[in-house]
Amino acid sequence: MYMTKAQLEELINSTGVTARENELFLEDVKEWPKIAYWEYIIEDVMASGDDYETVVTYQVSFASRTTRPAELLKLKKAFNGAGFHPVIYHETLSGTNGPAWHHYYFRVEITENMDDGSGT
């Protein structure tokens, strides 16, 4: 089951956590917690005949100074409520510009119309 990019952004924004479509946002030391998301796979998935749809895989990263924060659970609940059940990974990272922080991340596959250049 795929979602649209608009659905992805709506689910992320429903948490109230500051979010940016840019993996470099994870390095912003002023915002905690924060969500960054970005595409990392673009794939044509063939349907019947010569038709295909473009599936874009995004990483959604949640960065926090604390383990399993309430905002992360709110994000999980939003995705679950929409029928999506991502596997959420966790790692603790040493801070280059401050203390260690917790990185939770998962992948989401969305469909995008890339033929017209709009990305929606």
Side-chain angles (χ1 to χ4, degrees):
M1 182 163 118
Y2 302 118
M3 68 174 67
T4 65
K5 187 170 181 187
Q7 287 173 304
L8 171 65
E9 291 172 339
E10 181 180 327
L11 291 171
I12 288 171
N13 292 329
S14 74
T15 65
V17 174
T18 302
R20 300 280 185 272
E21 185 177 359
N22 183 338
E23 64 189 290
L24 297 177
F25 183 55
L26 292 175
E27 297 177 13
D28 183 343
V29 296
K30 296 176 228 130
E31 293 285 339
W32 298 99
K34 59 190 161 200
I35 298 172
Y37 59 101
W38 62 91
E39 66 184 33
Y40 68 96
I41 300 172
I42 299 173
E43 178 182 10
D44 292 335
V45 176
M46 300 305 291
S48 59
D50 292 331
D51 292 336
Y52 68 92
E53 63 183 353
T54 302
V55 175
V56 181
T57 303
Y58 279 76
Q59 177 166 316
V60 177
S61 286
F62 187 102
S64 176
R65 293 279 192 205
T66 60
T67 58
R68 205 180 298 169
E71 298 91 344
L72 173 69
L73 300 178
K74 186 174 182 181
L75 179 64
K76 179 185 180 311
K77 186 175 181 178
F79 273 81
N80 293 164
F84 299 96
H85 301 274
V87 175
I88 301 173
Y89 298 89
H90 172 248
E91 61 185 347
T92 302
L93 300 172
S94 298
T96 54
N97 296 320
W101 55 282
H102 300 277
H103 179 218
Y104 296 88
Y105 59 99
F106 58 92
R107 70 183 181 114
V108 177
E109 293 179 326
I110 68 170
T111 56
E112 288 192 39
N113 180 356
M114 301 187 91
D115 292 334
D116 65 5
S118 71
T120 58

